[in-house]
Coordinates of all heavy atoms in Angstrom, one line a residue:
P80 N -106.6 227.5 -32.5 CA -106.7 226.0 -32.4 C -105.8 225.3 -33.3 O -105.4 224.1 -33.0 CB -108.2 225.7 -32.7 CG -108.9 227.0 -32.3 CD -108.0 228.1 -32.7
A81 N -105.4 225.9 -34.5 CA -104.4 225.2 -35.3 C -103.2 224.9 -34.6 O -102.4 223.9 -35.0 CB -104.2 226.1 -36.6
E82 N -102.8 225.6 -33.6 CA -101.6 225.4 -32.8 C -101.6 224.1 -32.0 O -100.6 223.6 -31.6 CB -101.3 226.6 -31.9 CG -101.1 227.9 -32.6 CD -99.8 228.0 -33.4 OE1 -98.9 227.0 -33.2 OE2 -99.5 229.0 -34.0
Y83 N -102.8 223.5 -31.8 CA -102.9 222.2 -31.2 C -103.7 221.2 -32.0 O -104.3 220.3 -31.5 CB -103.4 222.3 -29.8 CG -104.7 223.1 -29.6 CD1 -106.0 222.6 -29.7 CD2 -104.6 224.5 -29.2 CE1 -107.1 223.4 -29.4 CE2 -105.7 225.3 -29.0 CZ -107.0 224.7 -29.1 OH -108.1 225.5 -28.9
G84 N -103.7 221.5 -33.4 CA -104.1 220.6 -34.3 C -105.6 220.5 -34.5 O -106.2 219.4 -34.9
E85 N -106.4 221.5 -34.2 CA -107.8 221.5 -34.4 C -108.3 222.7 -35.3 O -107.6 223.6 -35.4 CB -108.5 221.7 -33.0 CG -108.3 220.5 -32.1 CD -109.1 220.6 -30.8 OE1 -110.0 221.5 -30.8 OE2 -108.9 219.8 -29.9
A86 N -109.5 222.4 -35.9 CA -110.1 223.4 -36.7 C -110.8 224.4 -35.7 O -111.2 224.1 -34.6 CB -111.2 222.8 -37.6
V87 N -111.0 225.6 -36.1 CA -111.6 226.7 -35.3 C -113.1 226.4 -35.2 O -113.8 226.3 -36.2 CB -111.4 228.1 -35.9 CG1 -112.1 229.1 -35.1 CG2 -109.9 228.4 -36.0
R88 N -113.6 226.3 -34.0 CA -115.1 226.1 -33.8 C -115.7 227.5 -33.8 O -115.1 228.5 -33.5 CB -115.3 225.5 -32.4 CG -114.9 224.0 -32.3 CD -115.1 223.5 -30.9 NE -116.5 223.6 -30.5 CZ -117.4 222.7 -30.6 NH1 -117.1 221.6 -31.2 NH2 -118.7 222.9 -30.2
P89 N -117.0 227.6 -34.1 CA -117.7 228.9 -34.1 C -117.7 229.6 -32.8 O -117.7 230.8 -32.8 CB -119.2 228.5 -34.5 CG -119.1 227.1 -35.2 CD -117.9 226.4 -34.5
E90 N -117.6 228.9 -31.7 CA -117.6 229.5 -30.4 C -116.2 230.1 -30.0 O -116.1 230.9 -29.1 CB -118.0 228.5 -29.3 CG -119.4 227.9 -29.5 CD -119.4 226.7 -30.4 OE1 -118.2 226.3 -30.9 OE2 -120.4 226.1 -30.6
C91 N -115.2 229.8 -30.8 CA -113.9 230.3 -30.5 C -113.9 231.9 -30.7 O -114.5 232.4 -31.6 CB -112.9 229.6 -31.4 SG -111.1 230.0 -31.0
G92 N -113.2 232.6 -29.9 CA -113.2 234.1 -29.9 C -112.1 234.6 -30.9 O -111.6 233.9 -31.8
N93 N -111.8 235.8 -30.7 CA -110.8 236.5 -31.5 C -109.4 235.8 -31.4 O -109.1 235.2 -30.3 CB -110.6 238.0 -31.1 CG -111.8 238.8 -31.3 OD1 -112.8 238.3 -32.0 ND2 -111.9 240.0 -30.8
L94 N -108.6 235.9 -32.4 CA -107.3 235.2 -32.5 C -106.3 236.3 -32.7 O -106.6 237.4 -33.2 CB -107.3 234.2 -33.6 CG -108.3 233.1 -33.5 CD1 -108.2 232.1 -34.7 CD2 -108.2 232.3 -32.2
D95 N -105.0 236.0 -32.4 CA -103.9 236.9 -32.6 C -102.7 236.0 -32.9 O -101.8 235.7 -32.1 CB -103.7 237.6 -31.3 CG -102.6 238.8 -31.4 OD1 -101.9 238.8 -32.5 OD2 -102.5 239.6 -30.5
P96 N -102.6 235.6 -34.2 CA -101.6 234.7 -34.6 C -100.2 235.1 -34.4 O -99.3 234.2 -34.0 CB -101.8 234.6 -36.2 CG -103.3 235.0 -36.3 CD -103.5 236.0 -35.3
A97 N -99.9 236.4 -34.5 CA -98.5 236.9 -34.2 C -98.2 236.6 -32.7 O -97.1 236.2 -32.4 CB -98.4 238.4 -34.6
R98 N -99.1 236.9 -31.9 CA -98.9 236.7 -30.5 C -98.7 235.2 -30.1 O -97.9 234.8 -29.3 CB -100.1 237.3 -29.6 CG -99.9 237.1 -28.1 CD -101.0 237.7 -27.3 NE -100.7 237.6 -25.9 CZ -101.5 237.9 -24.9 NH1 -102.7 238.4 -25.2 NH2 -101.1 237.7 -23.7
D99 N -99.5 234.4 -30.8 CA -99.4 233.0 -30.6 C -97.9 232.5 -30.9 O -97.3 231.8 -30.1 CB -100.3 232.2 -31.5 CG -101.7 232.3 -31.1 OD1 -102.0 232.7 -30.0 OD2 -102.6 232.0 -32.0
R100 N -97.4 232.9 -32.1 CA -96.1 232.5 -32.5 C -95.0 233.0 -31.5 O -94.1 232.2 -31.2 CB -95.8 233.0 -33.9 CG -96.7 232.2 -35.0 CD -96.2 232.6 -36.4 NE -96.6 233.9 -36.8 CZ -97.8 234.1 -37.4 NH1 -98.7 233.1 -37.6 NH2 -98.1 235.4 -37.7
V101 N -95.1 234.2 -31.1 CA -94.2 234.8 -30.2 C -94.2 234.1 -28.8 O -93.1 233.6 -28.3 CB -94.3 236.3 -30.1 CG1 -93.5 236.8 -28.8 CG2 -93.9 237.0 -31.3
E102 N -95.4 234.0 -28.2 CA -95.4 233.4 -26.9 C -95.1 231.9 -26.9 O -94.5 231.5 -25.9 CB -96.8 233.6 -26.3 CG -97.1 235.1 -26.1 CD -98.5 235.4 -25.4 OE1 -99.4 234.6 -25.6 OE2 -98.6 236.5 -24.8
L103 N -95.6 231.2 -27.9 CA -95.2 229.7 -27.9 C -93.7 229.6 -28.0 O -93.1 228.7 -27.4 CB -95.9 229.0 -29.1 CG -97.5 228.9 -28.8 CD1 -98.1 228.5 -30.1 CD2 -97.8 227.9 -27.7
Q104 N -93.0 230.4 -28.8 CA -91.6 230.3 -28.9 C -90.9 230.6 -27.7 O -89.9 229.9 -27.2 CB -91.1 231.2 -30.1 CG -89.6 231.0 -30.4 CD -89.2 229.6 -30.8 OE1 -89.4 229.2 -31.9 NE2 -88.6 228.8 -29.9
L105 N -91.3 231.7 -27.0 CA -90.7 232.1 -25.7 C -90.9 231.0 -24.7 O -90.0 230.7 -23.9 CB -91.3 233.4 -25.2 CG -91.0 234.7 -26.1 CD1 -91.8 235.9 -25.6 CD2 -89.5 235.0 -26.0
A106 N -92.1 230.4 -24.7 CA -92.4 229.4 -23.7 C -91.5 228.2 -24.0 O -90.9 227.6 -23.0 CB -93.8 229.0 -23.7
R107 N -91.3 227.8 -25.2 CA -90.5 226.6 -25.5 C -89.0 226.9 -25.2 O -88.3 226.0 -24.6 CB -90.7 226.3 -27.0 CG -92.0 225.7 -27.3 CD -92.3 225.6 -28.8 NE -93.6 225.0 -29.0 CZ -94.5 225.3 -30.0 NH1 -94.1 226.3 -30.8 NH2 -95.6 224.8 -30.1
W108 N -88.5 228.1 -25.4 CA -87.1 228.4 -25.1 C -87.0 228.4 -23.5 O -86.0 227.8 -23.0 CB -86.8 229.8 -25.6 CG -86.4 229.9 -27.1 CD1 -86.0 228.8 -27.8 CD2 -86.6 231.1 -27.9 NE1 -85.8 229.3 -29.1 CE2 -86.2 230.6 -29.2 CE3 -87.0 232.3 -27.7 CZ2 -86.1 231.5 -30.3 CZ3 -86.9 233.3 -28.8 CH2 -86.5 232.8 -30.1
A109 N -87.9 229.0 -22.9 CA -87.8 229.1 -21.4 C -87.8 227.7 -20.7 O -87.1 227.4 -19.9 CB -88.9 230.0 -20.8
I110 N -88.8 226.9 -21.2 CA -88.8 225.5 -20.6 C -87.6 224.7 -20.9 O -87.1 224.0 -20.0 CB -90.2 224.9 -21.1 CG1 -91.4 225.6 -20.5 CG2 -90.2 223.4 -20.7 CD1 -92.7 225.2 -21.1
A111 N -87.2 224.8 -22.1 CA -86.0 224.0 -22.5 C -84.8 224.4 -21.8 O -83.9 223.6 -21.5 CB -85.7 224.2 -24.0
E112 N -84.7 225.7 -21.4 CA -83.4 226.3 -20.8 C -83.6 226.5 -19.3 O -82.6 227.0 -18.6 CB -83.0 227.5 -21.5 CG -82.7 227.3 -22.9 CD -82.5 228.5 -23.7 OE1 -82.0 229.6 -23.1 OE2 -82.7 228.6 -25.0
G113 N -84.8 226.2 -18.8 CA -85.0 226.4 -17.3 C -85.1 227.8 -16.9 O -85.0 228.1 -15.7
K114 N -85.4 228.7 -17.8 CA -85.6 230.1 -17.4 C -87.0 230.3 -16.8 O -88.0 229.8 -17.4 CB -85.4 231.0 -18.6 CG -85.6 232.5 -18.3 CD -85.2 233.4 -19.6 CE -83.7 233.4 -19.8 NZ -83.3 234.3 -20.9
P115 N -87.1 230.9 -15.7 CA -88.4 231.0 -15.0 C -89.5 231.7 -16.0 O -89.3 232.7 -16.7 CB -88.2 232.0 -13.8 CG -86.7 231.7 -13.5 CD -86.1 231.6 -14.9
I116 N -90.7 231.0 -15.9 CA -91.8 231.5 -16.7 C -93.1 231.4 -15.8 O -93.3 230.4 -15.2 CB -91.9 230.7 -18.0 CG1 -93.1 231.3 -18.8 CG2 -92.0 229.2 -17.8 CD1 -93.2 230.7 -20.3
L117 N -94.0 232.5 -15.9 CA -95.2 232.5 -15.2 C -96.2 232.8 -16.2 O -96.2 233.8 -16.9 CB -95.2 233.5 -14.1 CG -96.5 233.8 -13.3 CD1 -96.9 232.5 -12.6 CD2 -96.3 234.9 -12.3
G118 N -97.3 231.9 -16.3 CA -98.4 232.2 -17.2 C -99.7 232.4 -16.5 O -100.0 231.7 -15.6
L119 N -100.4 233.5 -16.9 CA -101.6 233.9 -16.3 C -102.8 233.8 -17.2 O -102.8 234.4 -18.3 CB -101.5 235.3 -15.7 CG -100.2 235.6 -14.8 CD1 -100.3 237.1 -14.4 CD2 -100.2 234.6 -13.7
C120 N -103.8 233.0 -16.9 CA -105.0 232.8 -17.8 C -104.5 232.2 -19.1 O -104.1 231.1 -19.3 CB -105.8 234.0 -17.8 SG -107.5 233.8 -18.4
R121 N -104.6 233.0 -20.2 CA -104.1 232.6 -21.5 C -102.6 232.2 -21.4 O -102.3 231.2 -22.0 CB -104.2 233.8 -22.5 CG -103.5 233.5 -23.9 CD -103.3 234.8 -24.7 NE -102.2 234.5 -25.7 CZ -102.4 234.2 -26.9 NH1 -103.6 233.9 -27.4 NH2 -101.4 234.1 -27.7
G122 N -101.9 232.8 -20.5 CA -100.5 232.4 -20.4 C -100.3 231.0 -19.9 O -99.4 230.2 -20.4
M123 N -101.2 230.5 -19.1 CA -101.2 229.1 -18.7 C -101.5 228.2 -19.9 O -100.8 227.1 -20.1 CB -102.2 228.8 -17.6 CG -102.2 227.3 -17.1 SD -103.6 226.9 -16.0 CE -104.7 226.2 -17.1
Q124 N -102.5 228.6 -20.7 CA -102.8 227.8 -21.9 C -101.7 227.8 -22.8 O -101.4 226.8 -23.5 CB -104.1 228.4 -22.5 CG -105.3 228.4 -21.5 CD -106.4 229.2 -22.0 OE1 -106.5 229.8 -23.2 NE2 -107.5 229.4 -21.2
V125 N -100.9 228.9 -23.0 CA -99.8 228.9 -23.9 C -98.7 227.9 -23.4 O -98.1 227.1 -24.3 CB -99.2 230.3 -23.9 CG1 -97.8 230.3 -24.6 CG2 -100.1 231.3 -24.7
I126 N -98.4 227.8 -22.1 CA -97.5 226.8 -21.6 C -97.9 225.5 -21.9 O -97.1 224.6 -22.5 CB -97.3 227.0 -20.1 CG1 -96.6 228.3 -19.8 CG2 -96.5 225.8 -19.5 CD1 -96.5 228.7 -18.3
N127 N -99.2 225.2 -21.8 CA -99.7 223.8 -22.1 C -99.6 223.5 -23.6 O -99.2 222.4 -23.9 CB -101.2 223.8 -21.7 CG -101.8 222.4 -21.7 OD1 -101.3 221.4 -21.1 ND2 -102.8 222.2 -22.5
V128 N -100.0 224.4 -24.4 CA -99.9 224.2 -25.9 C -98.5 224.0 -26.3 O -98.1 223.2 -27.2 CB -100.7 225.2 -26.7 CG1 -100.5 225.1 -28.2 CG2 -102.2 225.2 -26.3
A129 N -97.6 224.9 -25.7 CA -96.2 224.8 -26.1 C -95.6 223.4 -25.9 O -94.7 223.0 -26.5 CB -95.4 225.8 -25.3
Q130 N -96.2 222.7 -24.9 CA -95.7 221.4 -24.5 C -96.6 220.2 -25.1 O -96.5 219.1 -24.7 CB -95.7 221.2 -23.0 CG -94.7 222.1 -22.3 CD -93.2 221.6 -22.7 OE1 -92.7 222.2 -23.6 NE2 -92.7 220.6 -22.0
G131 N -97.3 220.6 -26.2 CA -98.1 219.6 -26.9 C -99.5 219.3 -26.3 O -100.2 218.4 -26.8
G132 N -100.0 220.1 -25.3 CA -101.3 219.9 -24.8 C -102.4 220.5 -25.7 O -102.1 221.2 -26.7
T133 N -103.7 220.1 -25.3 CA -104.8 220.6 -26.2 C -105.7 221.4 -25.2 O -105.6 221.5 -24.0 CB -105.6 219.5 -26.8 OG1 -106.0 218.6 -25.8 CG2 -104.6 218.7 -27.7
M134 N -106.7 222.1 -25.9 CA -107.6 223.0 -25.2 C -109.0 222.7 -25.5 O -109.4 222.2 -26.6 CB -107.3 224.4 -25.7 CG -105.9 224.9 -25.4 SD -105.6 225.1 -23.6 CE -106.9 226.2 -23.1
W135 N -109.9 223.0 -24.6 CA -111.4 223.1 -24.8 C -111.5 224.5 -25.5 O -111.2 225.5 -24.8 CB -112.2 223.0 -23.6 CG -112.1 221.7 -22.8 CD1 -111.5 221.5 -21.6 CD2 -112.8 220.5 -23.2 NE1 -111.7 220.2 -21.3 CE2 -112.5 219.6 -22.2 CE3 -113.6 220.1 -24.3 CZ2 -112.9 218.2 -22.3 CZ3 -114.0 218.8 -24.3 CH2 -113.7 217.9 -23.4
Q136 N -112.0 224.6 -26.7 CA -112.2 225.9 -27.3 C -113.3 226.7 -26.7 O -113.3 227.9 -26.7 CB -112.5 225.7 -28.9 CG -111.3 225.1 -29.6 CD -111.5 225.2 -31.1 OE1 -112.0 226.1 -31.7 NE2 -111.2 224.1 -31.8

Side-chain angles (χ1 to χ4, degrees):
E82 297 291 353
Y83 47 92
E85 293 186 9
V87 178
R88 291 176 58 91
E90 301 87 1
C91 192
N93 294 352
L94 304 177
D95 189 346
R98 183 178 181 186
D99 291 342
R100 288 188 285 270
V101 166
E102 290 183 339
L103 288 168
Q104 184 61 76
L105 291 171
R107 288 168 182 145
W108 282 335
I110 292 170
E112 299 173 29
K114 183 172 288 189
I116 180 170
L117 176 63
L119 309 181
C120 198
R121 170 193 159 97
M123 182 190 96
Q124 299 171 4
V125 167
I126 291 171
N127 189 57
V128 173
Q130 291 295 96
T133 62
M134 301 293 304
W135 297 108
Q136 292 188 43

